[in-house]
Amino acid sequence: MTFEQLKPQVESIISNSQLTVNERLLELCKLLETHINYYNWVGFYFRNGDKEELLLGPYVGAPTDHTVIPFGKGICGQVAVSNTNFVVPDVSAQDNYIACSITVKAEIVIPIFVNGKNIGQIDIDSNTPDPFTEADERFLEFVCAKVSEIL
Ligand code: SME
């Protein structure tokens, strides 16, 4: 399914007030993991109040031990402080990387802003080497902007 085809489905999940926010986030994870074949782990991390750490939110894919990530650690922790997208074509080339599964080859992390503040992120792991393009970044920025409307 193309990103353009997925966008209305993202909007429909976001606007489903029958579901809690976390249920909607989980539905988004399922939508993306199901329809984009190189998205193999899809999840959200959110800042833990005023603490400089991220907490794992809804996700689909292999369970991870990394439910708490300090700011600055790994790809996710770096995005918490850089406020910018981080696209990793080859995780084995990264020094500051937290491995969740040996099958993962690439990762993309896009921050979520609410009122200009970086409050969390969407994190996607791929078992395919170098799969992400600018189209993924633009689509995931769209997803994050929609998510920020319900936080
Ligand atoms: N690889 C991430 C950790 C989170 S897992 O991918 C679920 C990182 O380096 O921050």
Side-chain angles (χ1 to χ4, degrees), residues 50-68:
D50 286 337
K51 290 192 190 167
E52 299 212 325
E53 66 184 21
L54 297 164
L55 297 182
L56 180 61
Y59 71 95
V60 294
T64 174
D65 291 337
H66 305 290
T67 55
V68 182

Side-chain angles (χ1 to χ4, degrees), residues 88-102:
V88 181
D90 174 6
V91 295
S92 72
Q94 292 290 319
D95 292 334
N96 189 357
Y97 170 69
I98 302 167
C100 284
S101 159
I102 52 161

Side-chain angles (χ1 to χ4, degrees), residues 33-87:
E33 195 271 342
T34 303
H35 293 291
I36 304 174
N37 59 14
Y38 54 92
Y39 287 11
N40 302 114
W41 190 98
V42 179
F44 291 92
Y45 281 93
F46 291 103
R47 183 173 186 158
N48 183 12
D50 286 337
K51 290 192 190 167
E52 299 212 325
E53 66 184 21
L54 297 164
L55 297 182
L56 180 61
Y59 71 95
V60 294
T64 174
D65 291 337
H66 305 290
T67 55
V68 182
I69 297 179
F71 276 26
K73 300 282 184 195
I75 308 304
C76 296
Q78 291 178 79
V79 169
V81 293
S82 72
N83 306 322
T84 57
N85 300 347
F86 200 154
V87 181

